[in-house]
Amino acid sequence: MKSYIVDAFTQEPFKGNQAAVCFPQEMLSDEKMLKIAQEFNYSETAFVRETGKPGTYTIRYFSPKMEIPLCGHATIASSKVVFDNTDLNELHFITGENLDLFIKRRGDEIVMEFPVYDTSAAEARPEMLEALRLTEVDETAFCNEKRIFILQIADAGALAALSPDFEALLKSHNDIRGVVVTALGNNTEYDFHYRYFWPWSGTNEDPVTGGIQTFLAKYWGEKLGKKKMMAYQPSARTGQMSLELMGNTVLLAGHAVIIFEGNLVSF
């Protein structure tokens, strides 16, 4: 099975977010895909298959813990591999939830069209704040579609310095997929910074996350009065992307670097 390792949302090898991309020739069971994702042990492994319709592929995403409905960095990673190995400039990925994701090249960037979801005011448990080592939060919201909290804090420097207690964080809630901590860009080239912690459904921290822009872009867009924004994730690997809100969709644009290709021979 042809397989790749791709660094997403970066132009530098060993930065951004790692994804494995696999191209099975036949249907694999959910159990087998999960085991392969556990073997790669990245925050996401994508499984891509041709549909018989030119430029249209199915895609499914697995963390080492479970299937994930939508993943931004594994989508841009998969797009990079397809674009580099075909003459396509546009393609469609059909997800496990039957979302039709439209992807295109734009110069040396890859642009992905994702849906937009709303958030609503919410209250975070004190145990969660304590586990994140946050003493003050400016605003708390929740995306019901994704089951993810947003915690907005005042300082991007404090965000970069966060060092959560992940064991305590996991115990602080039992009905969510993750928590985003975010802050204004503080006069940098980026409109906002964010980090995504998801020990409930994936790894402790996702190094650079695209999927949460389905709601985070609208959250910040309304606050800033902007349709176009730049986002930065100050994780250990770092990464960035540009965003453009267009009605009920958000365009995510970024880069990806293929660092390995080979064949998975025992599965």
Side-chain angles (χ1 to χ4, degrees):
M1 181 168 61
K2 195 70 176 178
S3 302
Y4 299 80
I5 298 171
V6 184
D7 291 340
F9 295 121
T10 182
Q11 297 185 71
E12 297 181 56
F14 317 120
K15 294 280 191 178
N17 200 351
Q18 303 149 300
V21 183
C22 300
F23 290 84
Q25 296 302 302
E26 57 188 37
M27 290 289 292
L28 300 179
S29 68
D30 291 5
E31 179 183 12
K32 187 160 287 187
M33 286 189 282
L34 180 59
K35 287 186 179 296
I36 292 169
Q38 290 168 343
E39 186 73 12
F40 278 111
N41 202 34
Y42 296 133
S43 58
E44 222 82 41
T45 297
F47 295 87
V48 178
R49 296 189 73 224
E50 296 184 52
T51 63
K53 182 178 179 181
T56 301
Y57 301 77
T58 62
I59 188 167
R60 293 178 67 181
Y61 315 94
F62 283 78
S63 80
K65 292 187 176 179
M66 63 180 69
E67 183 170 9
I68 304 298
L70 178 63
C71 175
H73 86 274
T75 301
I76 200 170
S78 301
S79 303
K80 173 66 173 176
V81 175
V82 172
F83 285 144
D84 277 15
N85 287 279
T86 68
D87 294 327
L88 295 171
N89 289 307
E90 298 180 351
L91 62 87
H92 290 264
F93 283 132
I94 310 300
T95 73
E97 290 191 332
N98 212 35
L99 277 175
D100 184 347
L101 305 177
F102 176 61
I103 321 292
K104 64 181 179 181
R105 299 191 203 214
R106 186 174 66 191
D108 63 347
E109 284 188 314
I110 296 172
V111 183
M112 308 182 292
E113 187 175 301
F114 277 18
V116 168
Y117 301 120
D118 290 321
T119 58
S120 56
E123 185 174 343
R125 294 177 179 176
E127 297 90 338
M128 177 185 288
L129 302 182
E130 183 177 348
L132 289 165
R133 299 190 169 106
L134 290 174
T135 57
E136 189 173 345
V137 174
D138 291 350
E139 187 173 313
T140 307
F142 188 70
C143 177
N144 191 61
E145 283 84 359
K146 293 299 180 183
R147 306 298 300 167
I148 295 173
F149 270 99
I150 299 174
L151 304 179
Q152 182 187 338
I153 63 176
D155 183 60
L159 171 63
L162 279 182
S163 181
D165 179 338
F166 288 107
E167 184 176 347
L169 184 61
L170 184 61
K171 293 176 180 177
S172 71
H173 214 294
N174 59 9
D175 190 32
I176 62 172
R177 290 180 181 166
V179 55
V180 180
V181 186
T182 186
L184 193 66
N186 292 354
N187 299 317
T188 67
E189 62 181 299
Y190 301 102
D191 294 282
F192 64 90
H193 295 202
Y194 67 100
R195 292 175 68 184
Y196 180 49
F197 308 110
W198 64 321
W200 301 272
S201 52
T203 54
N204 284 338
E205 180 174 3
D206 198 25
V208 192
T209 315
I212 61 173
Q213 303 302 344
T214 53
F215 57 87
L216 195 58
K218 183 176 181 181
Y219 175 87
W220 276 111
E222 290 178 344
K223 288 183 174 297
L224 299 173
K226 289 186 173 184
K227 296 292 185 183
K228 295 182 178 181
M229 292 169 286
M230 289 291 296
Y232 177 70
Q233 190 157 339
S235 64
R237 292 176 63 93
T238 70
Q240 56 281 318
M241 67 196 73
S242 64
L243 309 167
E244 182 176 359
L245 289 163
M246 299 180 65
N248 293 324
T249 63
V250 57
L251 302 183
L252 283 70
H255 300 84
V257 181
I258 298 172
I259 63 165
F260 171 86
E261 66 173 290
N263 288 290
L264 194 63
V265 296
S266 297
F267 58 93

